[in-house]
């Protein structure tokens, strides 16, 4: 790992030297030019698969950008698109020349389109709609074409509003029919007024939020369209977004410890985080409305009408500094509250374990849920998913578990180092994954610690949204035959590694423009120790269970511009901690159970239903036809509602240390209880427990 770090440092240094040698000139009004210059330079120098900025790239950016700014074709007309068309082969030249004619025109046209719709939407919602006409509406905006005129745009929005009203009207009619306590039923005309008023309220709020969008928000869409043509995971982060990313990964931030929510033109407190400064001060409360924010020694800033992300930048700050919030309490009293910022630790997303027991025959089974491979990149002694999982394994072993289930379902990945360390918990030592940088030979990342944290039966649960680091761990333990992998047809299929680069390093001088933000850039591909790749193909579980979305397109292979699948030479590897040699027998036993399981049979049927619904995107705007179709779909959907049943005889219990951790937060206690209730009805976990029972039986 030290070698990898030194190479990365050298690359960054070389990049800075190269960028600095070009000595671009900027002035205080050219921040966008500086960002584009730095992004394109880093892409050229550091990306795993750099592309020439040419007409081919320009066409890709043009097509993708149009989708990004108006995918549903609700604002731009074909006339607007015709004005943008001449730039299809010029965007590459604009990037190289740091000019923005195409971007500027696109924003002008988009804003004009939004203003146009905003000018007539009240008119379209002023009168009742006729739901007796036989008309159709294409719900999927991607399947629609750009309209040819403003008149057609108005007609499109007429259908949009008609559909939105129809959905709510149908719900209101059905609710009224089912409510036996209503003595005097409202007419359809009366309910239509209510539905129309609700649509007006929703879109009024929506247009207000659209009006709050600034040029920098649009620019980030433009920049990320450029980066995503290289691959789906290369992203531009403005300074605030990067700060948020780091906090999510680290599990802590410096601030007051309160969650905020937009409430009309105001910002409201919706949660006080236990243990944080606001919680300790006991002055700030849920439902308090923040009117203004002031820093120590500065005038207060009125935050009414501001976007919530902007409000957060005023309130958040370094540990030890003071912030003054003027709030309106629920009783109307206004008060100025001084809060000293501090470190706020959030436990959401942390590794947590349970003890499962379904009878004396198999004893306790450990269940360890890991939602992400989190890490505090700014503090080597900070929070780490590997450290937390090691503690959970020790806690489970103290409960004398006879097997452990590691649940990585919906785990989108995270820290590369943590997954290598964590994989090593289950083997003595050896390679975990191979990494390959651009133009370099692949090298192994190894577990060098001969100690073993757990040597018993192990199952890793995955699904189609288990990605990146989750796939590394699942692939390594599968190749070593150390664990049985259980899940849907395959994992997500992300076989690439990203690194953050500070764009400020790409520009010499121009301090008045900084900070520019950072670029999360794909620098490596990773490969299994058997030489294969998870890119596009994912990890195919040893035992596959039916999934609701198995017939719907998901995963890396269905994104735009993914990197290709490749393979390299395998490594030599072996382990003798525990070999799962009877995977074929375990699979056969599981398939027999699944075939007889009513819930799984319904899941397969439901998956086929989802596949059909995914293709059926045209809806009738006639009430009777819509009601008939809605009833048919609801009747069909009801077959698959509440199909979950409690796992027979399963007892689920927390580790005592975890109960002590959440004792100060009643909301966490409630969430824990709800989580356990859901665990008891998890059919995938039920079958995984059955597989674990088979594995335990083999040992006896």
């Amino acid at each position: 790992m030290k070698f990898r770090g030194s190479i990365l440092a050298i690359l960054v240094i070389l990049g800075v030297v190269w960028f600095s040698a070009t000595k671009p000139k900027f002035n205080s009004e050219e921040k966008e030019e500086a960002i584009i210059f730095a992004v394109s330079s880093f892409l050229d120098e550091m990306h795993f698969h750099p592309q020439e900025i040419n007409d081919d790239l320009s066409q890709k950016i043009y097509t993708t950008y149009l989708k990004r700014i108006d995918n549903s074709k609700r604002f731009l007309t074909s006339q607007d698109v015709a004005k943008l068309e001449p730039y299809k082969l010029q965007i590459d030249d604009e990037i190289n020349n740091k000019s923005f004619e195409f971007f500027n025109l696109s924003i002008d046209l988009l804003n004009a389109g939004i203003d146009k719709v905003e000018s007539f939407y009240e008119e379209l919602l002023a009168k009742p709609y006729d739901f007796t006409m036989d008309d159709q509406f294409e719900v999927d905006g991607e399947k629609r074409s750009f309209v040819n005129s403003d008149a057609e745009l108005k007609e499109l929005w007429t259908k949009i509003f008609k559909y939105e009203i129809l959905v709510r009207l149908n719900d209101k009619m059905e609710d009224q029919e089912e409510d036996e306590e209503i003595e005097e039923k409202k007419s359809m005309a009366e309910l239509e007024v209510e539905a129309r008023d609700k649509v007006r309220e929703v879109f009024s709020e929506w247009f207000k939020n659209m009006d709050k969008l600034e040029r920098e928000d649009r620019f980030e869409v433009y920049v990320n369209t450029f980066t995503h043509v290289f691959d789906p995971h290369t992203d531009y982060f403005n300074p605030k977004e990067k700060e948020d990313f780091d906090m999510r990964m680290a599990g802590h931030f410096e601030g007051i410890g309160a969650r905020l929510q937009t409430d009309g033109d105001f910002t409201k407190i919706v949660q006080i985080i236990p243990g944080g400064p606001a919680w300790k001060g006991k002055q700030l409360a849920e439902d308090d409305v923040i009117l203004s924010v002031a820093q120590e020694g500065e005038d207060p800033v009125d935050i009414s009408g501001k976007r919530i992300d902007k409000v957060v930048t005023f309130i958040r700050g370094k540990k030890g500094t003071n912030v003054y919030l003027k709030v309106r309490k629920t009783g109307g009293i206004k008060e100025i509250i001084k809060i000293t910022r501090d470190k706020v630790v959030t436990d959401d997303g942390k590794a947590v374990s349970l003890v499962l027991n379904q009878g004396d025959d198999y004893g306790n089974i450990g269940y360890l849920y890991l939602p992400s491979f989190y890490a505090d990149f700014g503090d080597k002694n900070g929070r780490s998913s590997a450290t937390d999982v090691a503690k959970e394994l020790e806690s489970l072993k103290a409960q004398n578990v006879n097997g452990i289930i590691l649940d990585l379902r919906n785990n989108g990945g995270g820290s590369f180092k943590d997954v290598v360390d964590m994989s090593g918990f289950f083997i003595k030592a050896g390679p975990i994954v191979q990494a390959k940088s651009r133009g370099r030979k692949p090298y192994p990342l190894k577990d060098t610690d001969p100690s073993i944290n757990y040597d018993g039966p192990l199952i890793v649960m995955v699904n189609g949204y288990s990605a990146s680091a989750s796939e590394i761990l699942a692939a390594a333990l599968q190749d070593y035959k150390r664990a049985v992998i259980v899940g849907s047809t395959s994992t997500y299929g992300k076989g690439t590694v990203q690194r953050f680069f500070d764009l400020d390093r790409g520009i010499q001088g121009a301090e008045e423009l900084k900070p520019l933000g950072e670029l999360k850039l794909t620098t490596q591909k990773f490969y299994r120790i058997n030489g294969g790749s998870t890119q596009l193909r994912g990890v195919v579980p040893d035992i596959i269970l039916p999934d609701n979305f198995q017939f719907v397109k998901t995963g890396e292979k269905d994104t735009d511009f993914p990197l290709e699948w490749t393979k390299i030479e395998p490594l030599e590897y072996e382990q003798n901690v525990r070999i799962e040699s009877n995977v074929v027998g375990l699979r056969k036993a599981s398939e027999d159970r699944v075939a007889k399981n009513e819930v799984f049979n319904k899941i397969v049927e439901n998956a086929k239903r989802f596949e059909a619904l995914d293709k059926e995107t045209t809806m009738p705007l006639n009430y009777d036809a819509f009601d008939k179709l809605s009833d048919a779909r609801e009747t069909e959907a009801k077959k698959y509602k509440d199909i979950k049943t409690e796992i027979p005889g399963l007892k689920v219990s927390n580790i005592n240390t975890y109960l002590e951790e959440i004792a100060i937060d009643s909301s966490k206690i409630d969430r824990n209880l709800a989580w356990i209730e859901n665990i008891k009805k998890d059919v995938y976990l039920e079958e995984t427990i059955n597989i674990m029972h088979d594995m335990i039986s083999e040992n006896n």
Side-chain angles (χ1 to χ4, degrees):
M1 295 298 288
K2 289 182 180 178
F3 176 75
R4 177 173 63 87
S6 63
I7 288 293
L8 181 59
I10 291 170
L11 286 173
V12 172
I13 292 169
L14 288 176
V16 172
V17 171
W18 185 86
F19 298 151
S20 299
T22 63
K23 295 183 179 177
K25 300 295 183 182
F26 303 101
N27 61 47
S28 59
E29 297 179 354
E30 297 174 326
K31 187 166 185 174
E32 292 172 356
E33 295 181 20
I35 291 171
I36 282 289
F37 173 82
V39 166
S40 59
S41 298
F42 272 114
L43 286 169
D44 184 56
E45 288 295 300
M46 305 293 186
H47 195 274
F48 181 86
H49 184 65
Q51 300 183 45
E52 185 179 348
I53 299 179
N54 56 19
D55 288 353
D56 179 59
L57 188 80
S58 181
Q59 289 188 66
K60 292 177 182 176
I61 294 173
Y62 174 83
T63 303
T64 307
Y65 181 67
L66 274 185
K67 290 181 182 178
R68 297 280 175 90
I69 63 171
D70 194 14
N71 191 42
S72 295
K73 304 173 183 66
R74 294 179 296 181
F75 302 110
L76 299 178
T77 66
S78 60
Q79 295 172 346
D80 296 325
V81 175
K83 294 176 183 177
L84 295 171
E85 185 79 18
Y87 293 90
K88 182 180 283 189
L89 301 180
Q90 295 182 25
I91 299 172
D92 57 319
D93 301 315
E94 293 198 358
I95 290 172
N96 287 326
N97 297 326
K98 301 187 294 296
S99 62
F100 298 98
E101 288 182 27
F102 169 71
F103 173 66
N104 290 335
L105 179 59
S106 73
I107 295 308
D108 289 344
L109 293 172
L110 182 62
N111 287 338
I114 293 171
D115 290 343
K116 198 183 301 177
V117 175
E118 193 170 5
S119 71
F120 63 61
Y121 89 95
E122 287 276 10
E123 174 194 339
L124 296 182
L125 292 169
K127 297 179 181 179
Y129 278 84
D130 182 359
F131 294 107
T132 63
M133 300 170 60
D134 290 329
D135 205 354
Q136 301 286 319
F137 176 59
E138 177 54 69
V139 178
D140 187 347
E142 285 195 60
K143 294 181 180 179
R144 297 198 290 257
S145 299
F146 286 104
V147 297
N148 294 316
S149 65
D150 289 351
E152 288 186 13
L153 184 66
K154 203 168 186 177
E155 184 180 341
L156 169 64
W157 274 92
T158 299
K159 287 191 173 185
I160 290 173
F161 287 138
K162 190 171 184 178
Y163 175 73
E164 294 290 340
I165 295 167
L166 180 57
V167 170
R168 290 164 176 80
L169 174 61
N170 187 248
D171 287 342
K172 287 178 177 291
M173 291 288 288
E174 289 186 353
D175 290 345
Q176 182 172 256
E177 289 173 12
E178 294 172 2
D179 193 341
E180 297 178 356
E181 295 183 3
I182 298 178
E183 295 181 2
E184 189 174 343
K185 305 285 187 182
K186 293 181 181 179
S187 67
M188 179 182 286
E190 291 174 313
L191 292 177
E192 190 275 344
V193 172
E194 292 181 5
R196 193 155 31 92
D197 286 344
K198 184 60 181 177
V199 171
R200 182 186 296 107
E201 177 188 329
V202 168
F203 277 89
S204 294
E205 186 66 25
W206 187 76
F207 277 116
K208 282 182 182 178
N209 290 330
M210 293 290 285
D211 291 339
K212 290 179 183 179
L213 288 175
E214 300 174 1
R215 180 182 171 90
E216 63 189 52
D217 301 307
R218 305 289 193 193
F219 180 68
E220 286 169 24
V221 174
Y222 179 66
V223 175
N224 276 315
T225 303
F226 173 33
T227 63
H228 288 166
V229 168
F230 282 72
D231 80 284
H233 306 291
T234 293
D235 300 287
Y236 167 70
F237 284 65
N238 68 39
K240 167 68 168 52
E241 289 169 335
K242 178 55 167 61
E243 184 182 25
D244 290 343
F245 177 88
D246 289 341
M247 290 189 307
R248 287 194 301 272
M249 289 298 294
H252 67 75
F253 61 93
E254 292 183 353
I256 66 170
R259 301 193 193 280
L260 312 178
Q261 179 178 291
T262 298
D263 185 11
D265 287 334
F266 297 99
T267 300
K268 183 173 67 173
I269 304 292
V270 292
Q271 183 189 2
I272 304 296
I273 298 174
W279 182 80
K280 292 175 181 176
K282 302 188 185 305
Q283 289 181 281
L284 199 65
E286 292 181 7
D287 295 325
D288 284 355
V289 174
I290 305 174
L291 304 174
S292 67
V293 181
Q295 314 304 322
E296 187 75 59
E298 298 182 12
D299 293 333
V301 176
D302 184 347
I303 63 166
S304 59
K306 293 189 182 298
R307 285 168 33 194
I308 198 161
D309 59 329
K310 302 294 183 184
V311 175
V312 170
T313 60
F314 290 121
I315 296 176
R316 190 180 292 163
K318 291 186 177 180
K319 175 181 177 180
T321 59
N322 295 324
V323 63
Y324 298 82
L325 305 183
K326 184 177 182 180
V327 303
R328 184 177 66 237
K329 296 287 185 177
T330 51
I333 298 173
K334 295 178 181 178
E335 184 178 339
I336 295 177
I337 299 174
K338 172 186 174 182
I339 302 176
T340 302
R341 300 177 176 108
D342 203 346
K343 183 176 179 179
V344 181
V345 178
T346 58
D347 289 329
D348 294 344
K350 181 178 178 291
V352 62
S353 58
L354 298 168
V355 176
L356 313 177
N357 192 300
Q358 203 176 13
D360 295 335
D361 290 346
Y362 304 102
N364 289 339
I365 294 172
Y367 171 79
L368 206 169
Y369 173 62
L370 183 68
S372 70
F373 289 83
Y374 50 85
D376 187 348
F377 297 120
D379 181 0
K380 65 180 181 180
N381 297 316
R383 186 181 180 192
S384 157
S385 55
T387 301
D388 288 348
V389 166
K391 291 177 181 176
E392 295 300 323
L393 290 174
E394 290 304 310
S395 296
L396 290 173
K397 287 194 296 183
Q399 299 295 317
N400 298 315
V401 296
N402 292 322
I404 288 179
I405 297 168
L406 175 59
D407 191 348
L408 300 182
R409 288 176 294 174
N410 303 310
N411 183 320
S415 170
F416 209 51
K417 179 182 183 301
D418 279 71
V419 71
V420 173
D421 292 344
M422 201 180 299
S423 300
F425 293 166
F426 307 103
I427 63 171
K428 286 185 177 179
I432 301 299
V433 65
Q434 302 186 73
K436 186 183 184 309
S437 299
R438 163 179 153 192
R440 294 179 178 273
K441 292 182 179 181
Y443 61 90
L445 280 74
K446 300 179 179 180
D447 167 44
T448 57
D449 185 351
S451 64
I452 304 165
N453 296 62
Y454 175 70
D455 62 1
L458 178 66
I459 295 178
V460 179
M461 296 182 73
V462 295
N463 64 8
Y465 299 99
S466 303
S468 194
S470 295
E471 296 175 286
I472 291 175
L473 186 145
L477 297 183
Q478 186 180 59
D479 289 344
Y480 274 114
K481 297 184 179 179
R482 174 63 186 88
V484 175
I485 313 302
V486 175
S488 46
T489 51
S490 74
T491 55
Y492 186 81
K494 178 181 179 292
T496 57
V497 182
Q498 287 71 43
R499 296 285 182 270
F500 274 99
F501 292 88
D502 187 349
L503 296 183
D504 290 357
R505 296 189 180 190
I507 302 294
Q508 184 181 31
E511 298 303 318
E512 71 277 8
L513 303 180
K514 299 173 181 177
L516 300 176
E518 299 196 26
L519 184 66
K520 180 168 69 71
L521 191 148
T522 298
T523 58
Q524 295 176 314
K525 275 187 175 181
F526 63 78
Y527 295 84
R528 302 173 69 136
I529 54 178
N530 70 5
S533 173
T534 62
Q535 178 65 11
L536 303 184
R537 300 185 181 184
V539 176
V540 177
D542 299 305
I543 298 175
I544 295 174
L545 302 180
D547 185 276
N548 280 310
F549 304 103
Q550 64 190 54
F551 303 123
V552 179
K553 290 183 179 180
T554 57
E556 182 90 353
K557 63 184 181 296
D558 296 305
T559 60
D560 292 330
F561 313 114
L563 296 185
E564 64 179 348
W565 180 89
T566 52
K567 65 178 181 178
I568 59 176
E569 291 298 315
L571 299 173
E572 292 185 4
Y573 57 93
E574 62 179 3
Q575 62 89 14
N576 57 9
V577 174
R578 177 186 170 89
I579 303 292
E580 293 300 343
S581 57
N582 188 30
V583 171
V584 173
L586 294 171
R587 182 187 302 126
K588 179 63 170 63
S590 177
E591 289 173 349
D592 290 344
R593 283 190 297 267
V594 168
K596 299 173 185 176
N597 188 302
E598 183 181 348
V599 175
F600 277 124
N601 288 333
K602 286 188 175 181
I603 287 173
V604 173
E605 292 175 10
N606 201 32
K608 293 176 181 177
R609 182 177 72 93
F610 280 152
E611 182 184 28
L613 288 174
D614 194 46
K615 299 174 182 176
E616 297 170 4
T617 57
T618 302
M619 296 295 291
L621 294 178
N622 173 285
Y623 183 86
D624 290 338
F626 181 88
D627 184 52
K628 183 178 180 180
L629 177 60
S630 179
D631 284 348
R633 287 186 173 182
E634 187 174 351
T635 300
E636 188 71 13
K638 281 181 179 178
K639 296 179 183 178
Y640 311 105
K641 285 183 179 179
D642 302 321
I643 61 174
K644 295 180 179 180
T645 56
E646 285 205 4
I647 302 172
L650 181 66
K651 294 180 181 178
V652 181
S653 55
N654 290 108
I655 306 294
N656 287 336
T657 52
Y658 179 71
L659 292 175
E660 293 169 4
E661 285 179 23
I662 67 173
I664 64 170
D665 187 349
S666 60
S667 65
K668 287 185 180 179
I669 294 172
D670 291 340
R671 289 201 300 273
N672 177 63
L673 292 173
W675 178 51
I676 288 177
E677 286 305 307
N678 192 52
I679 287 288
K680 290 179 179 179
K681 295 181 179 180
D682 187 341
V683 68
Y684 297 99
L685 183 58
E686 178 180 13
E687 177 52 27
T688 304
I689 292 172
N690 288 332
I691 297 167
M692 180 60 76
H693 288 170
D694 291 343
M695 293 167 67
I696 293 171
S697 296
E698 289 179 354
N699 294 341
N700 298 332

